[in-house]
Amino acid sequence: MPCSMAQTTNSSSWATAQFSHKFSSTSLLELGFPFKSISMRKPTRRAKIHCGGVLTLPKQPFQSPTLPKTDSPPPSSPPSNWNLLQRAAAKTLDAVENALVSRERLQPLPKTADPRVQIAGNFAPVPEQPVKHNLQVTGTIPQCINGVYVRNGANPLHEPLAGHHLFDGDGMIHAVTINGENENSASYACRYTETQRLVQERELGRPVFPKAIGELHGHSGIARLMLFYARGLCGLLDHSHGTGVANAGLVYFNQRLLAMSEDDLPYQVRLNPSGDLETIGRYDFGEQLTNTMIAHPKIDPVSKELFALSYDVVQKPYLKYFKFSKDGEKSPDVEIPLGVPTMMHDFAITENFVVIPDQQVVFKLQEMVKGGSPVIFDKNKKSRFGILSKNAENASDIIWVDCPDTFCFHLWNAWEEPETNEVVVIGSCMTPPDSIFNECDENLKSVLSEIRLNLKTGESKRRPIIESSEQINLEAGMVNRNMLGRKTRFAYLAVAEPWPKVSGFAKVDLHSGEVEKFIYGDRRYGGEPFFVPRDPNSDREDDGYILAFVHDEKTCKSELQIVNALTLELEASVKLPSRVPYGFHGTFISSNDLENQA
């Protein structure tokens, strides 16, 4: 059966594949509802192309379970501790939701919210896999690759009842434990991050928490929020311990692996000695963190501090900045003044500053009352970057630099150039800016760009790094993280073509604009490339290896590829026992760090 039909065994084990943007509101009073909110260069030389099809693995039959067909949502399975009034309330609210869903299904869904588009093919979910050892390895795993590569993704547990966006799915972590020093030893496991949301929906046997992007549009979105609050008031569910999905970023900090989406606190996940994964729980840094945290915190490679943002979509202050010492001690929040709540998925750090994008994609919940999406492109708003000292105690000294018509979903690095009073930012500039969230006719473009912010004159300059004749969509990737916040020469970025699939990755010389591509091969697609240095003390920035999950749509099999970053030659591939959906962001944790987990 072709991959496009790939599904899972039943509605309670339904499980898919970038980015997670949810509502971290504390009040919906602005919408008129008295409910508490859910936490809801130089000219380019011709590109060198390397093909990843050298180590093709044997074919294996793909088994695709069928998806149950339902005309209405299944009733909530009443827990044994519900009383008669709660059971009656659940039955009534289920009936209201059935009527709402029936009405919604009469209207066509936009592609950005249509589950038949958003979670089709290898974006479709998979069930959990317990650890499998002694995986087949082709080639030789470099000795320095000794640890575990983990990658996050959105993998819905239940069949969507109505609209569903790729970012809405429950978080699932895929882990490949590798011992390059022990005869190519490798194991694999994938597990859900046991968020409060997932635990409750699993117990009820159906989705009951609103999906912030796929469902919260227009009047039906408001109705879904009202149903959600009504269930909470009746004690049928509990949103007091978070509503997030933890499906986007992963960071290893202060001896803990943290799974994140910016709609909640992080979740701590432990990597067991066997290679399996275990959710410890929602992590608040010892009761220090009371706000949500952005999915892309940054760790300074020298100070080992972690820097983060938190944003709110309703209540001021809309944005806060804070940091943690290497031992996990949190600084006081710094409130960043914003006129409107900005959608902010990423930011950057330099040696001395944090770089905060305040762009034109914003949250306007009032648009739901008008029947629209709460995530919109505001053409009247100016894009700008805020430059703030890492050690700032307040935002009084923040420097704002306008950068017209600039929207970067991700920022790959930034550094200071004191001789010109500039901060240089490297990011992928997207147009149309809101096309990830709202359907549009224009094709999405993601242009790798250098943005220069002059701290003295307040002026900005932006240029594409790659020559226009060689332009390709580049999204998801990184620089050598041992040089984060410092001037770097190379970036390793996913070739996001045909969008939203990834046909390979590019090694880009940020100084010359030269591009070398590693292409996975015919109908083979992957995800974010992750750079692992061979030796932290090496004098070559690109001395290391690229790790990437790759899926063959002809055989419906997946593998982990290990590519030499110096030569872009495939060193090894690890055959995986089950399909790995296209996902979001990951990290590599050394064996030494694993031994010291909290």
Side-chain angles (χ1 to χ4, degrees):
M1 185 174 291
C3 287
S4 60
M5 298 299 293
Q7 309 292 352
T8 59
T9 51
N10 55 56
S11 61
S12 65
S13 66
W14 222 71
T16 179
Q18 180 55 205
F19 319 116
S20 184
H21 307 282
K22 306 289 187 280
F23 298 108
S24 57
S25 324
T26 55
S27 166
L28 284 181
L29 296 178
E30 292 186 14
L31 283 174
F33 295 109
F35 303 106
K36 253 191 184 177
S37 151
I38 61 174
S39 297
M40 304 247 289
R41 312 156 170 168
K42 295 178 183 178
T44 319
R45 288 176 280 174
R46 296 295 297 181
K48 300 177 184 177
I49 299 178
H50 303 254
C51 182
V54 178
L55 298 179
T56 303
L57 297 179
K59 292 186 178 181
Q60 180 173 324
F62 176 79
Q63 295 180 348
S64 174
T66 58
L67 175 68
K69 306 229 184 308
T70 56
D71 295 326
S72 60
S76 299
S77 303
S80 58
N81 61 341
W82 281 4
N83 59 38
L84 290 176
L85 287 176
Q86 287 176 314
R87 290 169 185 264
K91 189 173 181 180
T92 300
L93 294 172
D94 286 349
V96 172
E97 186 172 22
N98 288 344
L100 175 64
V101 170
S102 297
R103 180 175 178 180
E104 286 180 327
R105 288 180 174 175
L106 297 176
Q107 305 297 324
L109 289 167
K111 291 179 181 179
T112 51
D114 189 341
R116 294 172 300 179
V117 175
Q118 294 292 305
I119 47 177
N122 196 45
F123 290 100
V126 294
E128 291 185 315
Q129 290 287 341
V131 63
K132 300 286 180 67
H133 297 284
N134 302 316
L135 301 181
Q136 177 183 332
V137 177
T138 306
T140 302
I141 297 175
Q143 288 189 357
C144 66
I145 307 297
N146 192 12
V148 60
Y149 174 57
V150 284
R151 198 221 63 199
N152 212 346
N155 200 85
L157 176 67
H158 294 108
E159 177 189 2
L161 300 179
H164 181 94
H165 188 278
L166 176 63
F167 300 167
D168 288 330
D170 300 289
M172 175 177 276
I173 298 176
H174 301 261
V176 179
T177 303
I178 307 168
N179 188 345
E181 297 178 345
N182 185 23
E183 299 180 355
N184 286 355
S185 172
S187 66
Y188 167 80
C190 68
R191 295 289 187 184
Y192 280 108
T193 299
E194 300 280 331
T195 63
Q196 289 292 318
R197 174 187 187 122
L198 180 130
V199 169
Q200 293 184 63
E201 292 191 337
R202 177 185 283 151
E203 182 179 4
L204 293 171
R206 55 168 298 189
V208 291
F209 284 69
K211 296 175 181 175
I213 303 177
E215 290 183 339
L216 296 188
H217 289 203
H219 299 142
S220 64
I222 295 172
R224 286 193 175 280
L225 285 175
M226 295 177 70
L227 278 168
F228 178 68
Y229 297 133
R231 287 185 170 117
L233 289 171
C234 295
L236 308 180
L237 56 81
D238 178 11
H239 60 73
S240 64
H241 299 290
T243 64
V245 287
N247 67 10
L250 290 173
V251 67
Y252 189 82
F253 175 70
N254 194 26
Q255 302 176 322
R256 292 170 176 84
L257 175 63
L258 303 178
M260 298 160 294
S261 56
E262 45 254 36
D263 53 357
D264 206 339
L265 272 63
Y267 275 80
Q268 181 185 352
V269 178
R270 178 174 291 140
L271 293 148
N272 295 330
S274 67
D276 215 338
L277 297 143
E278 173 192 4
T279 301
I280 303 303
R282 206 161 172 248
Y283 186 65
D284 60 7
F285 293 83
E287 299 183 351
Q288 297 181 93
L289 183 63
T290 58
N291 304 315
T292 62
M293 190 168 85
I294 199 167
H296 287 287
K298 309 297 180 186
I299 297 178
D300 187 288
V302 177
S303 71
K304 308 302 181 185
E305 296 170 299
L306 181 141
F307 302 86
L309 300 174
S310 173
Y311 66 81
D312 193 293
V313 304
V314 171
Q315 181 172 287
K316 288 186 176 182
Y318 295 130
L319 184 66
K320 298 176 183 178
Y321 158 72
F322 50 92
K323 68 175 184 176
F324 293 92
S325 71
K326 64 179 181 180
D327 298 319
E329 294 296 319
K330 182 179 177 295
S331 71
D333 291 335
V334 176
E335 298 180 0
I336 310 297
L338 296 181
V340 295
T342 300
M343 195 289 295
M344 202 172 296
H345 180 65
D346 202 357
F347 71 112
I349 62 170
T350 69
E351 190 172 354
N352 296 293
F353 300 111
V354 288
V355 182
I356 301 169
D358 178 24
Q359 302 171 130
Q360 292 171 283
V361 177
V362 301
F363 293 98
K364 285 194 176 180
L365 302 190
Q366 300 89 335
E367 294 296 315
M368 293 173 65
V369 177
K370 302 176 184 178
S373 167
V375 185
I376 68 166
F377 171 66
D378 185 351
K379 63 181 180 180
N380 296 318
K381 183 177 185 290
K382 284 186 177 180
S383 290
R384 59 180 185 167
F385 288 89
I387 313 299
L388 180 69
S389 168
K390 282 179 172 178
N391 298 318
E393 296 181 357
N394 56 63
S396 60
D397 293 330
I398 193 169
I399 299 173
W400 290 107
V401 180
D402 288 346
C403 194
D405 302 319
T406 299
F407 176 77
C408 294
F409 198 55
H410 292 106
L411 300 176
W412 311 120
N413 199 17
W415 61 81
E416 301 158 33
E417 294 192 355
E419 61 276 10
T420 60
N421 296 306
E422 290 177 316
V423 167
V424 179
V425 181
I426 306 297
S428 291
C429 294
M430 279 190 171
T431 54
D434 63 338
S435 56
I436 293 175
F437 306 101
N438 299 308
E439 187 172 2
C440 61
D441 296 328
E442 186 179 347
N443 291 331
L444 184 143
K445 293 181 180 179
S446 185
V447 178
L448 181 62
S449 303
E450 177 192 87
I451 304 165
R452 289 184 167 268
L453 309 172
N454 193 302
L455 305 188
K456 188 172 183 179
T457 66
E459 297 176 340
S460 66
K461 297 177 183 178
R462 189 183 79 196
R463 71 172 183 90
I465 291 172
I466 300 171
E467 198 173 74
S468 58
S469 61
E470 304 293 332
Q471 200 59 246
I472 51 175
N473 285 333
L474 295 176
E475 253 300 331
M478 63 184 300
V479 299
N480 184 331
R481 59 181 176 176
N482 288 335
M483 299 185 67
L484 193 69
R486 281 73 180 170
K487 189 171 185 177
T488 45
R489 179 178 175 184
F490 298 107
Y492 309 92
L493 302 170
V495 178
E497 294 180 356
W499 181 268
K501 294 182 181 180
V502 170
S503 57
F505 67 84
K507 175 184 179 181
V508 183
D509 188 319
L510 301 175
H511 301 173
S512 69
E514 180 182 2
V515 180
E516 294 183 78
K517 298 178 188 175
F518 183 89
I519 302 300
Y520 299 131
D522 181 39
R523 292 185 61 192
R524 292 164 65 88
Y525 302 97
E528 175 189 63
F530 191 90
F531 178 83
V532 179
R534 183 188 61 82
D535 180 354
N537 299 315
S538 174
D539 58 0
R540 292 203 58 168
E541 180 187 326
D542 57 345
D543 185 6
Y545 298 90
I546 302 296
L547 307 184
F549 284 115
V550 178
H551 180 72
D552 190 326
E553 295 192 346
K554 300 187 300 294
T555 63
C556 289
K557 298 301 296 181
S558 299
E559 63 189 88
L560 177 69
Q561 293 193 350
I562 302 173
V563 179
N564 189 311
L566 286 169
T567 64
L568 290 200
E569 294 179 354
L570 187 61
E571 297 277 348
S573 62
V574 180
K575 180 180 179 181
L576 302 177
S578 60
R579 180 172 62 84
V580 177
Y582 306 129
F584 299 149
H585 307 290
T587 191
F588 183 80
I589 306 165
S590 71
S591 58
N592 290 336
D593 284 336
L594 288 174
E595 292 175 0
N596 297 315
Q597 283 184 98

